[in-house]
Each structure stands twice: as structure tokens, then as C-alpha cells.
Amino acid sequence: MSIIYFVEDDQAIQYVIEKTIENAGFKGFGFSTGEAFIDAFKRQKPDMILLDIMLPDASGLDILKLIRKLDKKIPVMMISALQTEMDKVIALDLGADDYVTKPFGVLELTSRIQARLRNLKGEHLFELKNILIDDKKHLFTIDQKQVYLTNKEYDILKLLIKNQNDVVSKEMIFTFVWDTDFIGESRTLDMHIKSLRQKLKASHAEVGIKTIRGVGYHIE
């Protein structure tokens, strides 16, 4: 499932955007300030970003510049009450992929989001050494041989592979796999990690899951 971050300080508009994303079949995470968004973005990159320009603590254009310094390809859609041609040109020149003015139609926003995500090439394939996840088929293979994973194991492993260059915190796993930031039941996660390690080893995977004590996990 594609993950979309949206930055909007107006709670009413934030609610509409969140429901639009959910109804389109995606998972949305909202932020009211630029600072909160930047902190989350540096910890975990989404598949797409919806970004307001006028925020209480920063300009969306400055945030856009930072995003493009860190990632050149992630789709960024500006959503703003600024409607002049020059406003749109400036945002697009800074690296925005699309520009939607407020008030917007829900159907139009849905269509634009879907179009941008369709344009992502290979977004359903996640590969590392001799293991491959095909998200369209919900299929996990090692050396082209299918290996059975539970839904939670599949989601955990996909998150680790998508972030193979980073340490994935326990908080992040609970947020994206269990849809909660509560980590009191960390024993449940420990059991899933143990099972994943056993399956990777039994199938001769060329990667393993390393525990980073006090932080989380890293696949290598």
C-alpha cells in the first residue's frame, strides 16, 4: 500500500485530504507543521507528498527545496490557496510535480494522486541480494522460490528492504505495520523478527536482520 504524507495546518482541510487518500486505497499521515513533517520525512520516506505552501512555522516552498535536496524523484503535489500563474510557476520550477489550488474537488485530487503514483516505475518490486518482494502479487521469493510469510512478516520485511540503507526503529515498524505508535507489546515484534530470521536462514537468503540495540533493526 502506498504511503502519502500531507502537510496542512487547517484541520478541516486536513480531514478532507485524509479521507480522500483513504478512500483512494492509500495510507495517509498528516502533519500540521513543517517541522513535524521534516522530522518524519528524515526517518521514513513516503511514496508521495502533498504540501501546503502557507504553514505556521515555515514556507512550503522552503520545505520543497529541502525535499529536493534529499530526494529528486519522490512525487510532490502542492496544495495551496495561492492561485496566480506565477505562484504555480515558482513551485513547479522548484521541483513540484503538480499544483492544486484551494478549494479543490475531491474527485480531482483523487485522480491527480492516482496518476502520480501510477507514474512511479517499479514501485511494486523490492529487491536485495537473492530476495525479491513483488508487492502487486504479494509474493516473496528467495532464489526465485516462493517463501511463505504471514501478512505482518511480509510488511515488516518490505519495510526493512525499502529502507535497507537505514536502521528501522521499532516505533516506525509499529506505525507502518500495526498502525500505532504504541510499542508496549514489543515482545510481539520480537517474535515476528525471530520467525523472519528463521525463514531467511532456512531458505538460504543472502541477507539477515541485525538488531541495533536500543534503536531497532537493519537488514544486511
Side-chain angles (χ1 to χ4, degrees):
M1 178 184 294
S2 294
I3 296 170
I4 300 174
Y5 285 176
F6 57 98
V7 192
E8 170 60 60
D9 62 317
D10 186 306
Q11 292 187 351
I13 298 177
Q14 192 177 95
Y15 177 80
V16 172
I17 293 175
E18 182 177 15
K19 290 304 177 184
T20 300
I21 291 172
E22 290 179 358
N23 291 338
F26 308 121
K27 191 172 186 62
F29 290 89
F31 306 92
S32 298
T33 65
E35 182 180 5
F37 162 77
I38 291 170
D39 181 60
F41 181 75
K42 288 181 176 179
R43 286 186 285 111
Q44 164 68 30
K45 292 181 181 179
D47 297 292
M48 184 176 181
I49 298 167
L50 309 184
L51 180 60
D52 190 9
I53 291 180
M54 295 183 291
L55 297 169
D57 64 335
S59 165
L61 296 177
D62 289 334
I63 296 174
L64 175 59
K65 293 176 186 177
L66 177 60
I67 292 170
R68 285 298 174 238
K69 285 182 180 179
L70 300 174
D71 192 302
K72 302 293 185 184
K73 296 182 179 179
I74 188 168
V76 179
M77 180 187 297
M78 309 305 292
I79 301 181
S80 177
L82 301 176
Q83 300 184 13
T84 71
E85 182 179 11
M86 186 54 63
D87 291 322
K88 299 176 183 179
V89 169
I90 290 173
L92 295 172
D93 284 347
L94 289 175
D97 297 282
D98 202 351
Y99 194 108
V100 175
T101 57
K102 301 176 186 176
F104 54 81
V106 171
L107 292 179
E108 178 189 3
L109 182 61
T110 300
S111 178
R112 287 174 179 263
I113 291 173
Q114 291 173 334
R116 288 297 165 187
L117 290 175
R118 279 198 304 268
N119 288 337
L120 290 177
K121 297 181 179 180
E123 65 172 358
H124 63 290
L125 297 176
F126 306 96
E127 188 173 7
L128 181 61
K129 295 291 184 70
N130 65 336
I131 69 178
L132 174 69
I133 286 180
D134 186 332
D135 217 21
K136 282 186 177 179
K137 300 178 180 178
H138 204 269
L139 185 68
F140 172 64
T141 61
I142 297 178
D143 288 326
Q144 299 182 341
K145 297 179 181 178
Q146 184 175 356
V147 178
Y148 171 77
L149 300 178
T150 66
N151 287 335
K152 295 301 185 187
E153 289 171 352
Y154 179 93
D155 289 341
I156 292 169
L157 189 60
K158 184 175 73 171
L159 185 62
L160 290 172
I161 293 176
K162 285 181 68 176
N163 296 275
Q164 57 190 262
N165 296 320
D166 303 309
V167 176
V168 178
S169 68
K170 290 185 177 181
E171 290 87 353
M172 188 185 299
I173 295 175
F174 273 98
T175 296
F176 288 95
V177 177
W178 274 274
D179 197 21
T180 178
D181 56 4
F182 178 65
I183 61 172
E185 295 296 329
S186 60
R187 183 173 176 81
T188 300
L189 175 57
D190 294 339
M191 292 174 60
H192 282 82
I193 293 293
K194 180 180 179 180
S195 177
L196 272 173
R197 284 172 170 155
Q198 292 173 341
K199 291 179 179 181
L200 290 172
K201 183 177 180 181
S203 301
H204 306 290
E206 295 175 356
V207 301
I209 300 174
K210 181 179 180 180
T211 299
I212 309 299
R213 190 172 299 276
V215 182
Y217 302 96
H218 178 239
I219 193 163
E220 56 182 13

